[in-house]
Amino acid sequence: MIDKLPPSADGPVGQLPPQDWMQAAETRVVIAALTAEGAEVRFVGGCVRDALLHRPIRDIDIATHDPPERVMTLLERAGLRAIPTGIAHGTVTAVVHKAHFEITTLRCDVETFGRHARVEFTSDWAADAARRDFTINAMFCGPDGMIFDPFDGLADLGAGRVRFVGDPMQRIEEDVLRLLRFFRFYAHYGRPPPDTAALAACRAQAHKLPTLSGERVCGEIMKLMQAPDPASVLLLMQGERVLAEVLPEARAFGRLRILAFLEERGVVRPHIAPDPLRRLAAVLDVDRDAAAAVAARLKLSNAQTHRLVAMAAPERMPDPTMDAPAARRALHRIGAERFRDLVLLAWAERKAATGRTPPGETERWNVLLDHADAWAPVNLPVHGRDVMALGLPRGPKIGTVLDEIHRWWEDGDYRAGRKEALERLRELVARD
Ligand code: ATP
Ligand code: MG
């Protein structure tokens, strides 16, 4: 990962090579503003961890000695937008163009009540690292790339060990969300076997999970779902009696495993990205009501709820023997996005159930996805007013005629244009 430096008490352990995200103009102006009067700042958490693994950086967290009010002043003085996100907890967000930087004053916990820890600001980097959750999340990196690693996170990262900073029982007692974070980070960074002390602490405190808000549980589940193989971690959670407390409806582990495999391996064309909501739908074993209940519990938006219910408890599933007109009928009914979801889920379901794919079937599923890509929404080229213009009075008969012409248009694979459709309409009206 990096060239190691000789050990010293609290000095750097190595140096990251130049990083695009650190050299970016946005990052440089924020660092320049924060250090204008000599303060020492360091990158911390996810960006350091992911840079060490050469993974893409999502958001940038920065730690500083300065108290939040001073951070606000320094940013504003440099002409940058500063938002007092959580000023009491020491967090200020700097916004430069589209980039967001979370700047947090070094803290140490003095008392903790669940997530509402009473914190004090400190100038001690090690104390700040000690209140972070996992060793791999407690590393700092100076603007020059120097890595500081007070809890041996580097070795854990290399070995795929997700380890709590301090005693797992106590750290989960302080904040039970860390229990879910453990499985989320294990899914993304861990290699078996998982840390035994952590698992024992998770199992012992799983009963506290229902005290968490739906939003926070949802955030962790969605992030877990984005891991390469979420199914095996959900199975681990089930074994530790954790899953029953947050997602008892998750039972279709095989379907989720295959869906993730299809998405990750690009067996499906590359533009089909891993989708956490689709993955959630894949693992649920539910009817419509139960799917809606999961969505309500996780506080999903209306759009997400509709999509989850439509995926987890569909009225009809695509099947690989569907011909082109049948695929287009389904596309017309539910739209390309929903159809694509259902093709992937049906494909995963079938592969999970049969264990192997009959010859030619992969090709047929891909053809269905091609239809979805090629689909452009179409509208029936005639309307109620056309029927009335032919002399039919307002009333239920209009609806019957429209249904009939719709069926005719569908049977013709949506090819008929307005002219042909009007002709057909005349025939229908004349016939009655
Ligand atoms: P990502 O942003 O990729 O999900 P991250 O490590 O940046 O991962 P965040 O949730 O953004 O995770 O938190 C930033 C850092 O804050 C973490 O790396 C960790 O050091 C600390 N942290 C966040 N939540 C907690 C918590 N509940 N308990 C202790 N430390 C936490
Ligand atoms: Mg982060």
Side-chain angles (χ1 to χ4, degrees):
M1 286 185 278
I2 48 167
D3 293 333
K4 288 262 176 98
L5 295 174
S8 71
D10 48 11
V13 296
Q15 186 175 22
L16 271 177
Q19 303 281 312
D20 288 349
W21 59 275
M22 272 195 216
Q23 316 272 311
E26 290 85 351
T27 314
R28 298 231 301 257
V29 295
V30 170
I31 296 294
L34 295 175
T35 55
E37 302 202 347
E40 190 187 359
V41 302
R42 293 177 184 172
F43 299 104
V44 64
C47 58
V48 181
R49 179 194 69 219
D50 290 338
L52 286 162
L53 290 176
H54 308 288
R55 293 196 192 176
I57 304 303
R58 280 187 297 199
D59 47 33
I60 300 180
D61 296 314
I62 300 172
T64 176
H65 283 274
D66 279 333
E69 296 76 16
R70 178 135 189 82
V71 170
M72 293 286 294
T73 312
L74 288 168
L75 291 171
E76 279 160 3
R77 207 178 277 167
L80 302 178
R81 214 173 125 213
I83 305 169
T85 326
I87 209 126
H89 284 86
T91 306
V92 172
T93 305
V95 185
V96 190
H97 305 306
K98 286 207 173 119
H100 284 61
F101 299 83
E102 291 247 301
I103 301 149
T104 304
T105 305
L106 296 187
R107 291 174 289 188
C108 55
D109 290 340
V110 281
E111 281 171 58
T112 39
F113 309 98
R115 63 184 285 215
H116 302 291
R118 194 159 80 76
V119 295
E120 261 170 23
F121 299 138
T122 170
S123 56
D124 182 354
W125 294 98
D128 183 83
R131 66 164 190 91
R132 294 181 181 274
D133 46 10
F134 306 109
T135 61
I136 58 172
N137 287 350
M139 292 182 275
F140 300 101
C141 165
D144 53 0
M146 287 299 181
I147 299 285
F148 300 85
D149 179 20
F151 292 102
D152 249 343
L154 203 53
D156 287 340
L157 196 60
R161 282 190 299 259
V162 179
R163 204 158 54 83
F164 278 92
V165 171
D167 172 34
M169 268 313 259
Q170 187 197 329
R171 300 313 308 281
I172 295 174
E173 244 158 59
E174 291 164 3
D175 177 2
V176 70
L177 188 74
R178 290 175 187 153
L179 194 163
L180 293 181
R181 286 175 65 89
F182 172 76
F183 290 100
R184 189 245 288 192
F185 283 101
Y186 182 69
H188 285 274
Y189 301 93
R191 276 203 295 282
D195 185 79
T196 355
L199 281 189
C202 290
R203 181 189 274 256
Q205 297 189 66
H207 65 277
K208 296 180 183 167
L209 285 169
T211 62
L212 289 173
S213 72
E215 287 91 342
R216 298 185 92 205
V217 171
C218 181
E220 289 305 320
I221 288 179
M222 291 303 179
K223 284 183 174 160
L224 191 158
M225 287 295 176
Q226 287 167 46
D229 177 18
S232 60
V233 178
L234 290 176
L235 270 167
L236 176 68
M237 291 169 75
Q238 189 190 44
E240 299 301 328
R241 310 209 182 115
V242 167
L243 198 60
E245 303 290 346
V246 286
L247 201 61
E249 302 85 349
R251 280 178 291 259
F253 302 104
R255 183 166 60 193
L256 172 60
R257 188 190 299 280
I258 307 271
L259 175 71
F261 168 84
L262 292 175
E263 289 175 340
E264 297 281 334
R265 294 298 166 86
V267 175
V268 183
R269 68 280 323 284
H271 74 256
I272 297 216
D275 183 306
L277 201 64
R278 194 193 292 135
R279 290 180 174 194
L280 175 61
V283 82
L284 296 179
D285 175 16
V286 286
D287 59 16
R288 289 184 81 79
D289 289 347
V294 171
R297 208 174 63 228
L298 297 179
K299 302 279 191 294
L300 298 185
S301 69
N302 284 343
Q304 288 174 318
T305 301
H306 283 135
R307 183 163 170 238
L308 184 74
V309 173
M311 288 190 290
E315 277 157 28
R316 239 174 301 171
M317 271 306 218
D319 80 85
T321 62
M322 256 180 162
D323 60 9
R328 280 193 282 272
R329 271 198 297 279
L331 281 160
H332 179 59
R333 218 172 26 249
I334 60 178
E337 192 208 10
R338 200 68 37 93
F339 183 74
R340 208 176 272 124
D341 283 337
L342 294 185
V343 168
L344 291 167
L345 287 164
W347 185 353
E349 161 87 50
R350 217 167 132 94
K351 213 164 142 71
T354 59
R356 51 173 216 86
T357 312
E361 196 167 297
T362 301
E363 179 55 26
R364 284 199 289 275
W365 289 116
N366 270 305
V367 167
L368 291 181
L369 293 171
D370 290 339
H371 288 312
D373 291 348
W375 176 250
V378 287
N379 292 310
L380 183 66
V382 290
H383 313 277
R385 59 176 179 276
D386 297 315
V387 189
M388 287 194 281
L390 290 172
L392 221 62
R394 203 179 279 279
K397 189 80 184 112
I398 304 234
T400 319
V401 172
L402 279 175
D403 284 349
E404 199 162 333
I405 187 127
H406 192 272
R407 261 195 309 280
W408 166 85
W409 180 60
E410 202 159 64
D411 289 345
D413 209 9
Y414 313 105
R415 270 194 281 263
R418 180 156 168 85
K419 194 160 159 273
E420 286 165 275
L422 277 174
E423 243 162 62
R424 176 72 190 156
L425 203 57
R426 257 179 235 114
E427 286 169 25
L428 284 175
V429 173
R431 193 197 59 194
D432 292 317

